[in-house]
Amino acid sequence: EFLKSAVILAGLVAAVAGSRSWLVKMIKLLVLMSLVGCVYGDPPQCGGGKPMQSIKTYLGKGVSYDTAENICCNNHHYAEHWGYFEKVGLFQQLDPNGETVFYDSVCGIPLFIAPKGRTFAEWRSESEHHGWPSFRPEEIVTENVIIHPFGRMESKCGTHLGHNIPSDGRDRYCIDLVCIAGEPDNGTIHVQLLGPILNASQFDPKTYVSIAPVNSGKQSYTVEIMIGGGLFFVTFGAIAVFACNVLLRAMKKKQCRGGCCKDRRAVGVPLASKAEHGE
C-alpha cells in the first residue's frame, strides 16, 4: 500500500511538471486519477457474500443486520459506534469462567478466542475502556485473519473486522462486534476466499495456540495520511492553477478584442501633443 501511494504521488508530480500546456497536464491528471480508482480503490469485500441471518439473534439479543452489512462488507475505514457491544450486553451474556470463540459474521470461520493469557475481567475492562471488543495476539486465529500494513484487519473471507491499535508495546485488535457475531461454518464456505483457512471443524479451541507476533508493526496511519493529504493537495493545487490560468487567458482575450491591447502607436493612435505635457 505504501509503494502504491508513492508511485501515485510521483505520477501526479510528473503529470503536473512534464508539460507546459495546462490542457495536457489536466488530461494527464484525469487519466492518472482514473487509473488510481482502478488500482488503488477498495477491493470487493466479503467474497461476494453477505452477513448470515443468524446474527439477528446473536446471544439472544442480536446485532443490527444493516450495520453489519455496511461495516463488514461495504467499508474499510469506519466502525460501529463506540460502546455498541455494551448495548448488546456482550460480556453479560458470556461465561466468565470459560473461553468464547468468535466467528466470522459472513462465512463462519473462527477468528478470535478469548480470554487467553489474561482473566475475563481484564479482557472486559480493556474492551470497555476502548469502546470495542479488544483482543491480543494470543487470542487471534492467525490462519484466518489478515493484518494489512497500515493496521486494517479483515478475515480470509474478505470481511472487514477492525484495526490494529497497539498499546503497551503489544498489538491490540480493536474489532467490530457485528463482524464477529457469526455461527460456525458447516465445512462449506460459499464465498471467495483470500487464502487458505482453518475452518470451524478443524479448529479446537482447547488446544489451539496462536502464532501471531506480539508486535506486528502493522499499525501506523501516519504515512498513509501524509501521502493521502499530499495526493489531495497536489491534485487540488493543479486544478486551481489550471482554473486561474484559464480565467486569466479569458480576461486577456476579452481586453484584446478590437486591438485595444496593442501598442497605441501600432494602431495609429496619435501621440500626446506637447501641450498635453505642458511644453
Side-chain angles (χ1 to χ4, degrees):
E1 293 186 17
F2 173 79
L3 181 60
K4 287 181 182 178
S5 299
V7 170
I8 292 169
L9 182 58
L12 286 172
V13 173
V16 173
S19 174
R20 293 183 179 181
S21 169
W22 281 101
L23 179 60
V24 173
K25 289 180 181 180
M26 286 307 300
I27 293 173
K28 287 182 178 179
L29 282 171
L30 290 174
V31 171
L32 184 60
M33 290 172 70
S34 297
L35 292 175
V36 168
C38 296
V39 176
Y40 197 66
D42 292 340
Q45 290 180 258
C46 292
K50 292 184 177 182
M52 56 184 70
Q53 293 294 321
S54 63
I55 68 171
K56 296 177 181 179
T57 57
Y58 181 66
L59 294 179
K61 290 190 175 182
V63 298
S64 169
Y65 190 89
D66 290 339
T67 299
E69 187 171 15
N70 290 333
I71 296 297
C72 311
C73 298
N74 295 283
N75 158 71
H76 277 168
H77 311 289
Y78 301 104
E80 64 194 19
H81 295 304
W82 190 95
Y84 178 82
F85 73 92
E86 294 187 83
K87 295 180 180 179
V88 178
L90 174 64
F91 287 99
Q92 291 88 334
Q93 306 295 321
L94 303 181
D95 179 4
N97 299 311
E99 297 174 341
T100 300
V101 180
F102 294 85
Y103 297 90
D104 191 299
S105 290
V106 175
C107 66
I109 58 176
L111 302 174
F112 301 96
I113 175 171
K116 274 186 174 291
R118 55 179 170 173
T119 66
F120 182 89
E122 290 171 335
W123 172 40
R124 177 175 182 172
S125 175
E126 181 175 69
S127 298
E128 291 176 345
H129 174 73
H130 292 286
W132 284 269
S134 294
F135 301 93
R136 293 291 183 166
E138 299 86 351
E139 298 166 330
I140 188 173
V141 181
T142 322
E143 294 85 348
N144 292 343
V145 179
I146 300 170
I147 306 177
H148 292 280
F150 295 113
R152 181 174 66 82
M153 299 178 65
E154 66 180 338
S155 75
K156 290 284 186 72
C157 293
T159 305
H160 174 75
L161 301 176
H163 293 84
N164 179 29
I165 306 176
S167 60
D168 303 322
R170 304 174 68 241
D171 281 1
R172 181 181 64 82
Y173 315 124
C174 190
I175 304 300
D176 295 298
L177 178 63
V178 294
C179 302
I180 57 171
E183 294 182 339
D185 69 84
N186 57 11
T188 303
I189 307 297
H190 299 286
V191 299
Q192 183 178 355
L193 298 174
L194 300 178
I197 62 167
L198 183 67
N199 62 38
S201 62
Q202 300 168 321
F203 179 73
D204 184 354
K206 295 181 179 180
T207 60
Y208 181 79
V209 177
S210 174
I211 58 173
V214 172
N215 190 331
S216 65
K218 299 177 180 180
Q219 74 276 352
S220 175
Y221 294 91
T222 304
V223 174
E224 189 175 37
I225 292 172
M226 291 176 62
I227 292 176
L231 291 174
F232 172 80
F233 284 113
V234 169
T235 304
F236 180 82
I239 293 174
V241 172
F242 173 76
C244 290
N245 187 272
V246 171
L247 181 61
L248 289 173
R249 288 187 179 184
M251 293 174 63
K252 185 175 180 181
K253 285 182 180 180
K254 185 175 181 180
Q255 292 175 351
C256 290
R257 286 176 182 173
C260 297
C261 65
K262 295 181 181 178
D263 190 328
R264 293 171 66 88
R265 293 185 182 185
V267 295
V269 178
L271 295 175
S273 64
K274 292 182 178 180
E276 290 177 320
H277 290 283
E279 296 183 13

